[in-house]
């Protein structure tokens, strides 16, 4: 009788079979971090919260925009950082007796799954790691981490494997953000190769104007994939400027697709680098152009001739200049 009465009283808060909803928090301990040091949560290049270290402890009480979500916990200068899967649970970060990057994290099932898989992958040769990731997905189709893995590695695994694994996912995972990204890849990916006809697309430039690749007519076009946070991309930009200035008048154009997520960073990099060619971006993690062309690392590029045929890929520096010299000067 007492149990029934207690249950009825509790129903004003939650049903007898329903657990109260938990909220995210992260309590942390560090070592040798100065008092007053700021720690930040960064999600997809945006800062979502901060906390201050006091006596090697800190605390976050962040309202998560989704759960689970992967963030970077870092100092301002990135001298200390750690990737973490956050969930709507009380979580703990323990780096009292280890490095910040190797901190023990409790309270997130996704983090636990990620850590276990990482331990397994660390014990096998790099060439075999894809096999273990794929096997994990096949064995855990209901895990949201499986959907994340497919989304992240789709361009590496290719359309056939990606579709096979996507079909195994639970309905809930298929409806998730990762599931939608995977379906977008399956639908739009063409993976054109040297010798194939280019695939057209349209995206917006820095002024919000829609630009189509096919708008560049009767020219040799370098379709360039880059971002403001990519060191090798920024290092290559002076070489691109050099060949652009040398060959633009002879029929050469660059159509650059940025994989930036924040417009300010993208525009600033263009301005600081003094990049004069066409610039477009979706400002999305899985942009349309990268999805179509199967880009899984940057910098990357495709050289497209006047007839729309892809005649080169991943050309940079001296190799790019030699190719342009041959096509635009020696063959004239």
């Amino acid at each position: 009788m007492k149990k029934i009465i207690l249950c009825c009283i509790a129903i004003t808060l939650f049903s007898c079979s329903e657990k109260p909803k938990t909220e995210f928090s992260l309590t942390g301990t560090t070592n040798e971090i100065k008092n007053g040091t700021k720690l930040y949560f960064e999600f997809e290049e945006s800062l979502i919260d901060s906390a201050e270290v006091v006596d090697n402890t800190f605390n976050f009480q962040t309202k998560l925009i989704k759960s689970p979500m992967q963030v970077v916990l870092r100092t301002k200068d990135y001298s200390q950082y750690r990737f973490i899967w956050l969930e709507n649970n009380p979580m703990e970060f323990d780096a009292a007796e280890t490095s910040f990057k190797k901190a023990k994290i409790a309270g997130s099932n996704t983090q636990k799954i990620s850590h276990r898989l990482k331990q397994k992958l660390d014990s096998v040769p790099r060439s075999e790691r894809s096999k273990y990731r794929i096997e994990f997905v096949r064995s855990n189709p209901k895990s949201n981490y499986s959907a994340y893995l497919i989304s992240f590695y789709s361009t590496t695994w290719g359309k056939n494997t990606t579709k096979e694994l996507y079909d195994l996912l639970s309905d809930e995972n298929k409806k998730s953000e990762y599931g939608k990204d995977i379906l977008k890849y399956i639908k739009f990916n063409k993976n054109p190769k040297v010798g194939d006809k280019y695939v057209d697309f349209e995206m917006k430039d820095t002024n919000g104007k829609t630009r189509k690749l096919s708008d560049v007519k009767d020219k040799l076009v370098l379709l360039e994939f880059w971002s403001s946070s990519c060191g090798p991309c920024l290092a290559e930009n002076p070489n691109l400027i050099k060949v652009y200035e040398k060959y633009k008048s002879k029929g050469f154009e660059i159509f650059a697709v940025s994989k930036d997520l924040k417009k300010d960073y993208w525009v600033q990099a263009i301005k600081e680098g003094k990049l004069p060619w066409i610039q477009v971006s979706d400002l999305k993690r899985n942009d349309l152009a990268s999805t179509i062309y199967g880009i899984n690392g940057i910098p990357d590029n495709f050289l497209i001739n006047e007839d729309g045929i892809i005649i080169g890929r991943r050309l940079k520096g001296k190799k790019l200049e030699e190719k342009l010299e041959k096509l635009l000067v020696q063959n004239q």
Side-chain angles (χ1 to χ4, degrees), residues 174-305:
K174 288 180 179 178
K175 293 175 183 176
S176 71
E177 179 183 340
Y178 294 124
K180 292 175 182 177
D181 283 342
I182 299 164
L183 194 58
K184 177 182 177 182
Y185 170 78
I186 293 170
K187 180 179 179 181
F188 291 105
N189 174 253
K190 302 299 181 184
N191 225 30
K193 297 177 174 55
V194 173
D196 292 344
K197 182 84 173 179
Y198 84 102
V199 182
D200 199 16
F201 63 88
E202 61 180 38
M203 297 169 76
K204 292 184 177 179
D205 64 17
T206 56
N207 296 316
K209 180 182 177 181
T210 298
R211 308 291 292 266
K212 294 181 70 173
L213 180 58
S214 59
D215 288 341
V216 184
K217 300 182 184 301
D218 301 322
K219 289 187 177 184
L220 195 62
V221 181
L222 186 71
L223 174 59
E224 181 77 16
F225 292 86
W226 75 295
S227 88
S228 67
S229 61
C230 166
C233 302
L234 299 181
E236 179 62 15
N237 279 339
N239 295 324
L240 290 179
I241 291 171
K242 177 183 174 182
V243 297
Y244 187 74
E245 291 177 346
K246 184 175 181 179
Y247 297 103
K248 182 184 178 183
S249 63
K250 301 181 186 299
F252 176 60
E253 186 57 79
I254 298 176
F255 196 98
V257 176
S258 168
K259 294 183 68 62
D260 278 282
L261 300 177
K262 298 196 73 173
K263 186 174 181 179
D264 289 348
Y265 294 167
W266 174 38
V267 173
Q268 183 179 353
I270 295 171
K271 183 178 180 181
E272 290 181 354
K274 298 180 181 179
L275 311 180
W277 46 80
I278 301 167
Q279 297 278 356
V280 298
S281 181
D282 272 351
L283 299 174
K284 294 180 181 178
R285 185 166 56 88
N286 291 315
D287 64 90
L288 179 60
S290 296
T291 299
I292 290 172
Y293 282 83
I295 304 300
N296 57 20
I298 53 175
D300 199 349
N301 60 40
F302 294 79
L303 186 63
I304 305 167
N305 71 12

Side-chain angles (χ1 to χ4, degrees), residues 119-134:
Q119 285 182 312
K120 178 64 180 178
L121 295 177
D122 286 344
S123 69
V124 301
R126 186 176 296 274
S127 60
E128 296 181 18
R129 292 178 183 177
S130 275
K131 178 180 69 175
Y132 283 93
R133 291 188 181 102
I134 290 171

Side-chain angles (χ1 to χ4, degrees), residues 43-54:
F43 174 68
E44 295 188 349
E45 297 185 5
S46 294
L47 298 180
I48 59 175
D49 204 356
S50 65
E52 189 173 295
V53 176
V54 179

